[in-house]
Amino acid sequence: MDFTNPLVYGVPCFLGLILLELSYSKHHKEKKDLYNYKDLAASLSMGIGSAIIAPLTKTIAAIVLFNFVYNVFNPEINGVRTNIMGYESFGYAWYVWLLCQLADDFSYYWFHRQNHNVRVLWAAHIVHHSSDNFNLGTAVRNGWFTVLYKPFFYMWMPAVGFPPEMIIVCLGIESLWQFQLHSVFIPKLGFLEKIFNTHTMHQVHHAQNFEYMDKNHGGFLNIFDKIFGTWKELDENIDIKYGVTHPPNSYNPLVILTHEYKDIWNDMKKSKNWYHKFMYAFAAPGWSHDGSTLTIKQQRKLLAQQKKIN
């Protein structure tokens, strides 16, 4: 069965909604600085590049990786797709779609969380967080290298029996939801806040405020953040500062795309110890061999110890 990726229809809507939000913000004094034109141009440049690169890599993911895994783990036996565990592979019933979207959200959570916990992955993902503006333009500010490893977080799904084309559609739905989260004009949504990853929760995720960092990694649900201890509600009494603590300080797309890789290389040269070099690339951002910089987890642990002493 063939399906069309929802993003085919989503991209024109993205551009239209960005223009709508931009126009709306310029007519409201308190939000007139929501967009910086140079920053928006940089975001759109990277978004266009991502839009060109992503279909190529996603085609490989869908046709080669997902289909390969699906066929290996779900061979046809007497004309019926049967998982190697002995059950019939999943079909296209409505409840299978719901299960697939839930599995997609679980995969997205771990993909997104590891982007913040493994520095070499953060080097690709930091592009999305590098703007100190939070708007729909920032939503398309995507790194070009995350698409090279993202499919590997989802390969368990065709292995257990979800059809590859179903997974691709669910990935598209996930991307559509993620795009619209990047708006400051949507307030807290009451009961829906208990279930979904909402706009205010995503504002927390994009904040560089210490208490908000590395929180709310979910896709369209917040259940996995709550289960695994990374959920944080927006405190409306805290002024949010968006962006990252070590920004690229440039509107040049190539600088934004590569600056963290350069920083990793420079940090690796600080020690001749190969373990230290490995950790600078694969430990959490902020790790250092001499304690000169700390990860967010280390900083929170140190703060907790200081509070106990005091």
Side-chain angles (χ1 to χ4, degrees):
M1 189 176 292
D2 296 324
F3 298 100
T4 300
N5 191 326
L7 286 179
V8 172
Y9 308 105
V11 171
C13 294
F14 291 173
L15 296 175
L17 288 170
I18 290 171
L19 290 174
L20 179 63
E21 185 183 58
L22 172 61
S23 300
Y24 183 81
S25 66
K26 295 303 179 184
H27 288 84
H28 288 73
K29 290 183 179 180
E30 66 277 9
K31 298 295 183 184
K32 66 178 182 179
D33 295 325
L34 184 65
Y35 278 84
N36 174 302
Y37 287 111
K38 289 183 179 180
D39 185 75
L40 176 60
S43 295
L44 291 175
S45 296
M46 287 177 284
I48 292 170
S50 180
I52 294 171
I53 296 171
L56 299 176
T57 55
K58 285 182 178 179
T59 298
I60 294 173
I63 295 177
V64 180
L65 291 176
F66 287 174
N67 272 294
F68 174 77
V69 173
Y70 183 70
N71 289 326
V72 168
F73 287 88
N74 302 271
E76 284 194 19
I77 300 177
N78 297 323
V80 178
R81 285 283 183 183
T82 305
N83 192 270
I84 60 172
M85 298 298 291
Y87 57 83
E88 186 175 329
S89 303
F90 306 135
Y92 299 95
W94 65 268
Y95 56 85
V96 177
W97 279 97
L98 292 180
L99 287 173
C100 187
Q101 196 69 65
L102 181 62
D104 167 89
D105 205 59
F106 176 78
S107 302
Y108 180 84
Y109 171 82
W110 286 108
F111 157 73
H112 198 180
R113 182 170 176 175
Q114 294 311 307
N115 276 335
H116 286 256
N117 289 340
V118 179
R119 193 177 178 192
V120 70
L121 302 186
W122 173 241
H125 185 60
I126 193 176
V127 173
H128 182 62
H129 286 265
S130 60
S131 173
D132 57 7
N133 297 295
F134 184 81
N135 51 50
L136 293 178
T138 303
V140 300
R141 190 187 186 97
N142 294 316
W144 296 356
F145 308 120
T146 55
V147 293
L148 299 176
Y149 59 85
K150 182 177 181 178
F152 294 100
F153 285 85
Y154 294 79
M155 286 177 66
W156 69 274
M157 292 175 64
V160 301
F162 289 109
E165 59 270 24
M166 180 182 283
I167 299 170
I168 295 300
V169 171
C170 289
L171 280 164
I173 294 172
E174 160 211 303
S175 296
L176 292 175
W177 183 267
Q178 281 291 307
F179 169 81
Q180 60 88 36
L181 288 179
H182 296 76
S183 178
V184 296
F185 291 113
I186 309 298
K188 289 186 177 181
L189 298 175
F191 176 75
L192 295 178
E193 299 274 329
K194 297 182 181 296
I195 303 170
F196 295 101
N197 183 27
T198 64
H199 307 79
T200 57
M201 292 177 197
H202 206 59
Q203 289 173 40
V204 167
H205 179 71
H206 271 261
Q208 59 170 294
N209 304 60
F210 179 71
E211 59 268 49
Y212 285 163
M213 294 179 74
D214 289 352
K215 298 294 184 181
N216 299 353
H217 302 295
F220 63 93
L221 299 175
N222 60 42
I223 184 173
F224 299 116
D225 280 299
K226 291 179 176 178
I227 290 174
F228 298 112
T230 53
W231 183 75
K232 183 75 173 179
E233 185 178 9
L234 175 71
D235 185 342
E236 293 174 332
N237 294 317
I238 297 176
D239 291 329
I240 293 182
K241 184 177 182 181
Y242 297 109
V244 292
T245 54
H246 298 287
N249 295 319
S250 174
Y251 295 119
N252 185 327
L254 293 179
V255 173
I256 297 171
L257 287 164
T258 61
H259 76 280
E260 183 66 11
Y261 294 106
K262 181 180 179 180
D263 289 345
I264 291 174
W265 177 248
N266 289 334
D267 285 342
M268 291 175 72
K269 293 188 290 185
K270 291 178 180 178
S271 173
K272 295 182 179 180
N273 185 301
W274 282 98
Y275 172 75
H276 293 162
K277 294 179 184 295
F278 176 85
M279 291 296 285
Y280 273 120
F282 293 98
W287 183 92
S288 62
H289 73 284
D290 56 4
S292 57
T293 58
L294 301 174
T295 67
I296 294 299
K297 191 173 182 178
Q298 289 172 330
Q299 291 180 52
R300 287 181 174 142
K301 184 178 180 180
L302 181 62
L303 182 61
Q305 291 173 343
Q306 290 173 346
K307 286 183 177 180
K308 285 183 179 181
I309 295 173
N310 298 331

